Amino acid sequence: MIRRITCMLFTLLWVLNSQSQEFGTHWITHPNRNDSSEVLFRHTYTTLQRPLQAFITFASIGHCKVYINERNVSREIFYENKTAQGILLHTFDVTRYLRPDSNTIAVWYAPCPQAQAYTPTAINKQLSLEYYGTKPDSTAFYHQADDTWTCSILEGSRISTDSTGHAMEVFDNRSYDHSWKATEQPMKNGEKPMRSGMLKAEHTYTTLPAFPYKGNFLKNVLSPISIYSDSLGTHFEFERTFRGSARITLRGAKKGERLEINGLLYICSGEMDEQAFRRLTTSRQKTIIIKGDRYFDKSQIQKVEGLEIY
């Protein structure tokens, strides 16, 4: 109860401080930002002792997930900010994830087409994050994501279109950096981010709803009830229609092998086990269809799951 009250007070103070200034002065972006690339941000804060309590408050006009010490604190399996009314703040108590010597915060960002449609400066508002709390001696600490952080363009994941013109995720597991959240090794192709809010000409938001965004949380993991194949591919049919995505576990796929899975083009890495699933989009579906190239064999599919969200 005390933690909940403390969290609410910190959030209120953060909002009041943000409204007294231009919120845009807190933003950081990749220096070579564009409207299609995914971006990784990371920074390690060193300490002499484990903080007594800590929170992370963040905002983004795009898809975003936040990790501390490689643990997902934002919890949503799909996250996006679609509102045109302002910027939603997200505050999480991260005390249980803290370490005594250092704490690494890592953020995954992906552009959101809906946001780009209503503001031309969406690509300049990739991340605003504050890390704050109480030290063991009861004094406060406060850190803000700035140009001392490291960022990198994420390779291997992007949004494209299929033959019918519909949006399709492309994920190339051969080039994706799975170690980007790591606390012990440097970020690949790391650069210093730019504080985009320093651009005086850009539009900044003044409406700041201070309530948690209701994200897309995992509700059920569903299993198919029947399997059959035809000219379209291998069909995995579920008992009912659900909103979400599919997660496919593969074994023995060849490096470079290509699979099309309900709005996802997945390119295999050739590792013994790998999982294919959409990271940015969801849809309503009852059947998952998997169609592979000439190297594909149904025996490579170890498990098919329907990720139902709410």
Side-chain angles (χ1 to χ4, degrees):
M1 186 61 168
I2 294 176
R3 283 190 175 184
R4 190 173 297 175
I5 294 173
T6 304
C7 180
M8 292 174 63
L9 288 174
F10 269 118
T11 302
L12 178 61
L13 290 172
W14 194 88
V15 173
L16 291 174
N17 178 65
S18 298
Q19 287 179 326
S20 66
Q21 310 172 37
E22 283 194 335
F23 186 75
T25 58
H26 295 172
W27 293 102
I28 60 172
T29 68
H30 192 279
N32 300 317
R33 61 200 181 282
N34 57 59
D35 60 2
S36 60
S37 294
E38 298 175 28
V39 181
L40 307 174
F41 296 92
R42 197 173 74 187
H43 190 74
T44 298
Y45 294 100
T46 57
T47 57
L48 298 177
Q49 293 178 290
R50 185 179 185 272
L52 188 65
Q53 191 171 28
F55 301 90
I56 287 178
T57 294
F58 72 94
S60 176
I61 303 187
H63 306 271
C64 196
K65 288 185 180 180
V66 178
Y67 297 77
I68 185 165
N69 298 327
E70 302 187 52
R71 301 286 297 277
N72 185 355
V73 301
S74 47
R75 297 198 300 269
E76 296 96 331
I77 61 170
F78 299 97
Y79 165 75
E80 58 186 320
N81 180 17
K82 292 183 178 179
T83 178
Q85 304 304 315
I87 296 169
L88 301 180
L89 307 181
H90 306 256
T91 298
F92 296 96
D93 185 336
V94 298
T95 306
R96 60 178 172 161
Y97 305 121
L98 301 179
R99 304 193 314 188
D101 53 348
S102 64
N103 292 287
T104 298
I105 300 174
V107 180
W108 166 85
Y109 161 87
C112 178
Q114 293 91 339
Q116 293 163 9
Y118 63 73
T119 172
T121 60
I123 60 174
N124 292 333
K125 295 177 171 59
Q126 293 180 346
L127 176 66
S128 180
L129 182 145
E130 301 192 347
Y131 169 55
Y132 53 92
T134 307
K135 298 178 182 178
D137 62 2
S138 298
T139 59
F141 71 89
Y142 171 85
H143 302 286
Q144 186 181 103
D146 57 20
D147 50 12
T148 64
W149 280 46
T150 304
C151 64
S152 176
I153 295 291
L154 176 62
E155 297 181 359
S157 181
R158 60 186 173 86
I159 291 287
S160 184
T161 55
D162 60 20
S163 58
T164 64
H166 291 96
M168 175 179 63
E169 290 188 35
V170 179
F171 189 86
D172 189 341
N173 202 29
R174 298 171 300 179
S175 55
Y176 184 82
D177 179 13
H178 291 278
S179 66
W180 69 271
K181 302 185 294 293
T183 60
E184 305 297 335
Q185 52 186 303
M187 181 179 287
K188 293 180 180 178
N189 303 315
E191 298 186 61
K192 294 301 179 184
M194 184 176 70
R195 292 187 290 175
S196 66
M198 300 303 290
L199 302 175
K200 300 301 182 181
E202 76 172 53
H203 170 72
T204 57
Y205 286 84
T206 56
T207 302
L208 294 174
F211 46 84
Y213 170 76
K214 187 180 185 302
N216 295 310
F217 297 96
L218 184 63
K219 180 180 180 181
N220 290 306
V221 178
L222 307 176
S223 297
I225 59 172
S226 66
I227 304 172
Y228 64 92
S229 299
D230 60 17
S231 60
L232 297 177
T234 303
H235 300 242
F236 295 82
E237 189 168 346
F238 292 78
E239 185 175 9
R240 58 180 172 82
T241 300
F242 66 94
R243 185 173 78 92
S245 182
R247 181 169 59 196
I248 316 299
T249 302
L250 302 165
R251 175 172 295 174
K254 296 183 180 296
K255 185 175 182 178
E257 183 178 330
R258 301 164 75 91
L259 303 176
E260 293 184 23
I261 310 166
N262 284 35
L264 168 68
L265 172 60
Y266 181 83
I267 305 173
C268 301
S269 65
E271 299 170 358
M272 179 176 291
D273 289 323
E274 47 190 309
Q275 285 189 325
F277 57 93
R278 282 188 282 172
R279 289 163 169 76
L280 301 174
T281 58
T282 63
S283 61
R284 291 184 60 81
Q285 56 207 313
K286 188 179 179 183
T287 303
I288 293 170
I289 304 175
I290 301 177
K291 183 177 182 179
D293 60 15
R294 61 192 180 94
Y295 298 109
F296 172 68
D297 190 288
K298 287 192 297 184
S299 64
Q300 296 169 349
I301 302 174
Q302 301 298 299
K303 194 173 187 179
V304 174
E305 300 167 292
L307 305 180
E308 183 178 31
I309 63 175
Y310 68 94

